[in-house]
Amino acid sequence: QSALTQPPSASGSPGQSVTISCTGTNSDIGGYSYVSWYQQHPGKAPKLMIYEVTKRPSGVPDRFSGSKSGNTASLTVSGLQAEDEADYHCSSYAGSDNPYVVFGGGTKLTVL
Amino acid sequence: EVQLVESGGGLVQPGGSLRLSCAVSEFTVSSNYISWVRQAPGKGLEWVSVIFSDGSTYYADSVKGRLTISRDISKNTVYLQMNSLRAEDTALYYCARAGTVGVRAFDIWGQGTMVTVSS
């Protein structure tokens, strides 16, 4: 069982927006602004899409955005495109007495 | 090109040992944090271990005492020595760079090396 909770699946049609949630506790997501999101296509390594809740690495389209409210972080993908179909994983810092990071179980995003 | 390349995976019997390697290019292991993250078949990601630039190391509770992370600065390579392997260690093992982009974010990943623990 993963430390962070994500829905197993999400879907949307091309051009639409979809939001994926990632729920933790006061000890991880709620306590720090160190949430990251990773995109993983089948058979490929994860790719960093969002770090520190809202920041995008260079090269990541601004269609991808992150937010946090309380113990829940969210990744929103706007203007869905076929190539956005992938697994998305969230992670969070959980304090110096805990694992380096904790991950969610991943969400399979399907573009209908 | 900035990259990490893993090797050393394979099939091993329960209780056996394996050493994974993570060869780094275009940046130095001595100045960066390198982590191992694993993914069991069909499952999510699980953080395993990290070695910081000062050489300090940390482990997930699930592997503490059985897995050891180390580095060879002259070879610019990070290793994961895996002993007393269990079926639940079966996974694709990735090495990843952390601490360069944001806090606790992994910005560069290798392609992974598969470890299968089975009799």
Side-chain angles (χ1 to χ4, degrees):
Chain A
Q1 187 170 350
S2 302
L4 306 178
T5 301
Q6 297 182 238
S9 63
S11 63
S13 299
Q16 288 186 332
S17 293
V18 65
T19 297
I20 299 170
S21 63
C22 173
T23 302
T25 67
N26 290 333
S27 298
D28 38 65
I29 292 177
Y32 309 94
S33 293
Y34 299 139
V35 176
S36 300
W37 289 91
Y38 301 88
Q39 177 191 65
Q40 186 179 31
H41 287 109
K44 300 296 185 181
K47 174 187 175 183
L48 180 64
M49 304 300 284
I50 297 287
Y51 66 97
E52 293 179 0
V53 180
T54 61
K55 299 176 182 178
R56 279 186 310 275
S58 174
V60 172
D62 59 6
R63 301 186 295 104
F64 292 84
S65 62
S67 63
K68 188 187 84 162
S69 177
N71 296 338
T72 298
S74 299
L75 173 72
T76 298
V77 186
S78 305
L80 268 177
Q81 299 182 4
E83 59 262 34
D84 299 333
E85 184 163 298
D87 292 329
Y88 291 84
H89 306 270
C90 63
S91 73
S92 175
Y93 175 56
S96 58
D97 293 333
N98 289 297
Y100 187 72
V101 294
V102 290
F103 282 100
T107 298
K108 168 66 177 177
L109 174 61
T110 300
V111 180
L112 301 171
Chain B
E1 179 186 1
V2 174
Q3 64 176 357
L4 301 93
V5 178
E6 304 93 335
S7 61
L11 174 63
V12 61
Q13 292 188 339
S17 298
L18 214 53
R19 189 179 81 156
L20 307 184
S21 299
C22 172
V24 172
S25 301
E26 299 299 323
F27 68 94
T28 61
V29 300
S30 59
S31 302
N32 289 269
Y33 305 168
I34 303 295
S35 208
W36 288 95
V37 177
R38 67 185 181 184
Q39 186 172 33
K43 302 296 184 182
L45 302 171
E46 179 188 14
W47 174 76
V48 173
S49 182
V50 63
I51 184 164
F52 291 121
S53 53
D54 66 359
S56 58
T57 60
Y58 295 90
Y59 302 91
D61 287 344
S62 59
V63 307
K64 205 170 292 183
R66 301 186 299 116
L67 275 56
T68 303
I69 192 171
S70 63
R71 67 186 182 185
D72 185 329
I73 293 174
S74 66
K75 295 183 178 179
N76 214 28
T77 299
V78 172
Y79 303 98
L80 187 67
Q81 178 66 43
M82 310 174 73
N83 298 331
S84 302
L85 284 165
R86 307 167 180 168
E88 53 264 37
D89 295 317
T90 294
L92 185 61
Y93 284 73
Y94 295 101
C95 61
R97 184 176 73 175
T100 300
V101 174
V103 174
R104 310 282 165 135
F106 304 108
D107 67 327
I108 305 293
W109 296 67
Q111 83 289 350
T113 186
M114 186 68 200
V115 172
T116 303
V117 183
S118 175
S119 55

